[in-house]
Amino acid sequence: MARLFFLFISLLIVVVNFLLTPVFPHVWWSMVIFGPVILVGLADMFQTHHAIRRNFPIIGNFRYVLEFFRPEINQYFVESNTSGTPFNRLDRSLVYQRAKGELDTLPFGTQKNVYEVGYEWVTHSIMPKHVDPQQLRVMIGPTRAKPYSASVFNIGAMSFGSLSKNAVMALNQGAQMGGFAQNTGEGGLTPYHLQGGDIIWQIGTGYFGCRSYDGKFSPEKFSEKANLPEVKMIELKISQGAKPGHGGILPAEKVTKEIAEIRGVPMGKSVISPPGHSVFSTPLELLKFIERLRELSGGKPVGFKLCIGKPREFMAICKAMRQSGITPDFITVDGGEGGTGAAPLEFSNYVGSPLNEGLVIVHNFLVGFALRDKIRIISSGKINSGFGIIKHMVMGADLCYSSRGMMLSLGCIQALQCNTNQCPTGVATQNPSLVNGLVVAQKNKRVANFHKATVKSFAEILGAMGFSDPKELRPRHLMRRISLSQVKDYSEIYPFIKEGDLLKSPVPKEYELAFQSSSAETFEHV
């Protein structure tokens, strides 16, 4: 019916123009407007790819126009201050205000529903303390030749390629200004990371920046870069929260000649890292590789990053630590809710343990095997406030990463265009005209401001709880509403075991299956 109506109206316009020509000779100028519209309608009718356009010429195109602008309409006109995802407007505004050095206080009380299931808060003290934010540092690898004193809040793993060169430079310069570290992500160590800020060099399954021509790990190339003074720690990426077990993805649109040369990959093709490592295949081999990286880097702290999948596999790594005597200096725990520039929808939504569960497992297993005092835990996942740092430390972390929070401090507007190379703010794109919009000399200060204000907030909350040292934080200090009339602290919600419990018999019941089915010799079920 719509197609017939379009044809009738089009024919009517042409006939009317023809009939009016003797009276109004210039009437055909109307076809300047009607002509293109009719041509679009005819193109809609005869194309075969879209049923909506074929059945509803002209008006069917509005569906695609509205769909194109849907994220912006949803963000600016539909979402409330507390309902947006992945970050709601309150959270985004907090980052923007702190990055710009603007007023970040809240008038008229909280906008959150404090009686909603899931609402969380920390217990404060009648005797608060003053905490100096400058003193909130964590020593990683204290027994190594080159230990590192890290901030409690650092830049999470984001690769050059996923991020623009200007974004990487602004982050690194901001890290230098604020005295914190930047994780390179698995895309390799680039000149844009070497702006003076401290670097945590991440090595992924693709071994970018330290790989041979056939994609294998190159000790020579690794040693050359790992011994640079800017590189403070090495992080071996086993998996990441947004797509665990999949490998990193860099869409072909972002693979420039420069990126191809840095990573050692061909241009014109999407760069997909292998799902797993080729250097090791057992827990003991993993630890031996970590020890090798430590030697090649001249004694710098080395750790690994993972998103927890099968608990028995991490149990196997802990058994391997006890058996070999080799321990990483830190372990980064990523959650299934982690961010990424590009990931299959199913992996982002349904693969990998959420951060809370993963963090508890890692902390508990290390405590249970009496390894916790040797290893620092870094928590990575949607942390952009002082409360966020407190929450993850309560659950076992020693320090935290922020990736998307740092992107927001650069000016990211959560346009959700990271995987298209069309990021409008120049943060997550390789399009030169968009990249130039991000002015490094301005954005680096915002990164430093955001870090400083967030650590200050963390220190103030810690002091309000009556503590002067984050090591005093315990699961019982974090409360969560589980029903309209019932509240529990985190020690009641999650199981937290005691030092050495996994070295005794019987082991805690909740971890009995993982213990019995794991071995230091293999990642397979035994």
Side-chain angles (χ1 to χ4, degrees):
M1 181 64 71
R3 299 173 71 187
L4 292 176
F5 180 75
F6 164 72
L7 289 173
F8 172 76
I9 293 297
S10 299
L11 182 61
L12 180 62
I13 290 172
V14 173
V15 170
V16 168
N17 274 271
F18 181 77
L19 293 176
L20 290 177
T21 299
V23 182
F24 302 105
H26 301 295
V27 72
W28 283 104
W29 282 101
S30 66
M31 295 304 291
V32 172
I33 297 174
F34 292 121
V37 175
I38 292 173
L39 290 175
V40 169
L42 292 173
D44 289 341
M45 285 181 59
F46 290 104
Q47 60 82 36
T48 58
H49 294 288
H50 303 283
I52 293 292
R53 288 173 54 202
R54 187 174 174 85
N55 290 334
F56 300 92
I58 305 299
I59 60 174
N61 289 282
F62 286 99
R63 184 256 186 194
Y64 300 99
V65 172
L66 292 173
E67 188 178 61
F68 180 80
F69 288 108
R70 182 184 181 279
E72 289 77 13
I73 294 172
N74 196 47
Q75 183 178 131
Y76 296 119
F77 301 106
V78 178
E79 293 175 355
S80 69
N81 283 347
T82 59
S83 67
T85 57
F87 290 88
N88 62 46
R89 178 165 289 278
L90 280 181
D91 290 337
R92 297 198 305 271
S93 296
L94 178 67
V95 177
Y96 297 148
Q97 290 161 355
R98 286 180 171 171
K100 296 176 183 178
E102 296 177 350
L103 188 68
D104 63 352
T105 53
L106 182 72
F108 226 65
T110 181
Q111 296 182 30
K112 291 183 175 291
N113 180 0
V114 299
Y115 297 102
E116 181 180 25
V117 173
Y119 178 72
E120 296 176 334
W121 68 96
V122 295
T123 55
H124 69 282
S125 172
I126 292 176
M127 297 295 292
K129 296 181 179 180
H130 172 73
V131 179
D132 182 3
Q134 300 296 323
Q135 302 303 313
L136 297 173
R137 310 286 297 186
V138 179
M139 185 62 70
I140 303 178
T143 62
R144 307 303 174 195
K146 299 175 181 178
Y148 179 59
S149 176
S151 169
V152 294
F153 192 54
N154 302 278
I155 301 170
M158 295 181 286
S159 303
F160 169 59
S162 292
L163 296 190
S164 68
K165 64 179 183 180
N166 285 15
V168 173
M169 287 192 291
L171 289 171
N172 192 259
Q173 291 176 19
Q176 181 187 32
M177 294 174 183
F180 53 103
Q182 176 190 22
N183 190 306
T184 65
E186 66 173 312
L189 181 63
T190 73
Y192 308 117
H193 291 103
L194 304 177
Q195 303 290 308
D198 292 347
I199 283 295
I200 301 170
W201 184 18
Q202 186 183 93
I203 309 297
T205 56
Y207 308 115
F208 300 126
C210 56
R211 61 187 263 151
S212 58
Y213 290 110
D214 60 355
K216 303 298 183 181
F217 175 73
S218 170
E220 295 78 17
K221 291 182 179 179
F222 171 80
S223 181
E224 179 185 351
K225 294 181 179 178
N227 282 283
L228 291 172
E230 294 89 346
V231 176
K232 304 301 182 182
M233 302 199 302
I234 311 297
E235 181 179 271
L236 183 67
K237 192 191 93 167
I238 297 176
S239 60
Q240 70 179 92
K243 42 183 181 285
H246 189 281
I249 300 174
L250 184 65
E253 297 80 13
K254 288 188 173 184
V255 184
T256 64
K257 180 180 179 181
E258 181 182 34
I259 292 170
E261 291 175 351
I262 288 172
R263 296 197 180 195
V265 298
M267 280 188 62
K269 295 183 179 180
S270 293
V271 181
I272 302 178
S273 306
H277 281 269
S278 59
V279 179
F280 62 87
S281 59
T282 70
L284 287 171
E285 288 177 356
L286 162 64
L287 295 179
K288 290 177 181 177
F289 185 54
I290 286 174
E291 185 71 12
R292 188 184 183 195
L293 294 178
R294 192 178 287 136
E295 293 171 357
L296 290 170
S297 64
K300 292 180 180 180
V302 179
F304 63 84
K305 170 185 176 179
L306 84 169
C307 174
I308 292 295
K310 296 179 174 66
R312 65 168 172 79
E313 293 180 343
F314 187 71
M315 181 78 76
I317 296 174
C318 292
K319 287 184 176 181
M321 292 181 202
R322 295 292 306 185
Q323 182 175 318
S324 67
I326 301 172
T327 57
D329 297 297
F330 65 93
I331 296 174
T332 299
V333 186
D334 204 1
E337 67 272 36
T340 180
L345 183 143
E346 295 91 341
F347 275 76
S348 282
N349 288 346
Y350 306 114
V351 182
S353 297
L355 183 56
N356 286 7
E357 285 69 25
L359 187 55
V360 169
I361 286 174
V362 170
H363 174 73
N364 269 344
F365 286 11
L366 293 179
V367 169
F369 279 101
L371 296 165
R372 184 64 182 86
D373 62 334
K374 299 178 181 180
I375 301 169
R376 302 291 176 259
I377 295 178
I378 305 176
S379 184
S380 176
K382 294 189 73 173
I383 303 169
N384 66 343
S385 68
F387 173 75
I389 300 174
I390 289 282
K391 174 180 175 178
H392 291 91
M393 286 191 173
V394 159
M395 300 181 68
D398 295 294
L399 60 157
C400 298
Y401 280 147
S402 174
S403 297
R404 286 172 288 183
M406 293 294 180
M407 288 176 67
L408 291 169
S409 74
L410 285 173
C412 166
I413 60 171
Q414 197 170 276
L416 306 182
Q417 297 289 320
C418 308
N419 59 335
T420 66
N421 203 34
Q422 297 300 320
C423 170
T425 59
V427 175
T429 178
Q430 300 305 313
N431 184 322
S433 63
L434 295 172
V435 172
N436 288 337
L438 195 159
V439 181
V440 176
Q442 293 296 322
K443 300 301 184 181
N444 55 13
K445 299 180 183 66
R446 295 192 180 186
V447 173
N449 288 343
F450 169 58
H451 172 270
K452 181 179 180 180
T454 303
V455 174
K456 180 175 181 288
S457 170
F458 165 69
E460 289 175 342
I461 297 173
L462 184 67
M465 297 173 72
F467 304 131
S468 56
D469 191 330
K471 293 180 181 178
E472 299 176 84
L473 292 170
R474 296 293 182 271
R476 64 177 179 272
H477 300 138
L478 180 60
M479 313 300 294
R480 182 180 179 91
R481 182 174 295 284
I482 61 172
S483 74
L484 183 64
S485 59
Q486 191 174 15
V487 170
K488 288 187 177 182
D489 66 53
Y490 264 56
S491 68
E492 299 173 295
I493 297 174
Y494 292 100
F496 286 90
I497 62 178
K498 296 179 180 179
E499 181 84 7
D501 275 358
L502 292 172
L503 298 174
K504 303 173 184 176
S505 183
V507 299
K509 188 174 182 180
E510 57 267 29
Y511 298 130
E512 186 176 358
L513 181 60
F515 187 88
Q516 292 175 349
S517 61
S518 60
S519 167
E521 310 292 338
T522 179
F523 284 114
E524 300 295 329
H525 187 285
V526 297

